[in-house]
């Protein structure tokens, strides 16, 4: 990015009010891959299962430690096969608006994502107020799934 580039996201140490407890999140990306996020000691630890296998933890290749993030975002959008493509590539809409979820500090909040142009950054808005939703300070993991994805949490 050019010098002075700003992503425009809001970060705050304190979680906004509202939401519902969410210590575990399951995100099915396809019939082949499912992501798992488990809240532990202030972060969501990441695991995945492939083709129905038992979940395997994501680990840092340098340290061998489990990878954790402070924010897990799930963005629901239109996903389909690229018309006329013989190898199964997917078309994913990343502009406009859509429903989403933000998990931070053990709490799930319903959000709206917004991106007006391909060259713009994503925005994450509180669904009720339409105002920017603050992310927790620290790393984030963004899941982009189809509108019919059966995402679950508890």
């Amino acid at each position: 990015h050019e010098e002075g580039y700003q992503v425009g996201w809001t970060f705050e140490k304190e979680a906004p009010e509202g939401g519902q407890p969410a210590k575990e999140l399951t995100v099915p990306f396809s019939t082949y891959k499912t992501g798992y996020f488990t809240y532990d000691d202030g972060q969501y630890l990441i695991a995945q299962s492939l083709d129905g296998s038992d979940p395997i933890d994501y680990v840092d290749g340098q340290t061998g430690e489990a990878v954790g993030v402070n924010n897990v975002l799930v963005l629901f959008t239109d996903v389909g096969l690229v018309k006329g493509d013989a190898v199964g590539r997917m078309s994913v809409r990343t502009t406009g608006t859509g429903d989403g979820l933000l998990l931070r500090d053990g709490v799930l909040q319903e959000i709206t994502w917004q991106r007006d142009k391909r060259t713009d950054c994503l925005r994450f808005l509180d669904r009720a107020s339409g105002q920017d939703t603050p992310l927790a300070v620290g790393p984030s993991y963004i899941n982009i799934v189809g509108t019919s994805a059966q995402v679950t949490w508890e």
Side-chain angles (χ1 to χ4, degrees), residues 4-148:
Y5 175 83
Q6 299 274 327
V7 72
W9 296 348
T10 303
F11 294 90
E12 291 183 9
K13 289 182 181 180
E14 298 298 320
E17 292 184 21
Q20 55 187 293
K23 305 293 184 187
E24 295 181 7
L25 174 75
T26 302
V27 182
F29 292 100
S30 66
T31 57
Y32 177 73
K33 179 180 175 181
T34 300
Y36 300 91
F37 302 85
T38 304
Y39 191 67
D40 181 41
D41 197 27
Q43 288 195 314
Y44 285 90
L45 300 177
I46 306 166
Q48 72 175 5
S49 68
L50 302 175
D51 207 17
S53 65
D54 289 335
I56 301 169
D57 293 339
Y58 275 20
V59 294
D60 184 300
Q62 298 269 332
T63 67
E65 298 289 320
V67 174
V69 296
N70 297 81
N71 304 288
V72 178
L73 292 130
V74 180
L75 311 182
F76 296 95
T77 191
D78 303 315
V79 177
L81 292 173
V82 171
K83 191 172 185 168
D85 185 87
V87 294
R89 286 180 275 235
M90 305 299 286
S91 172
V92 179
R93 181 180 60 84
T94 61
T95 56
T97 63
D99 291 337
L101 306 171
L102 166 63
L103 282 80
R104 61 163 288 179
D105 304 301
V107 175
L108 177 138
Q109 297 173 312
E110 294 184 358
I111 63 168
T112 298
W113 65 266
Q114 177 182 354
R115 185 172 178 226
D116 294 331
K117 301 180 298 198
R118 266 186 348 107
T119 54
D120 290 345
C121 290
L122 285 164
R123 290 183 65 200
F124 310 116
L125 309 171
D126 176 83
R127 196 172 295 171
S129 72
Q131 299 298 309
D132 287 319
T133 297
L135 302 176
V137 175
S140 300
Y141 190 107
I142 301 175
N143 302 273
I144 300 177
V145 297
T147 55
S148 63

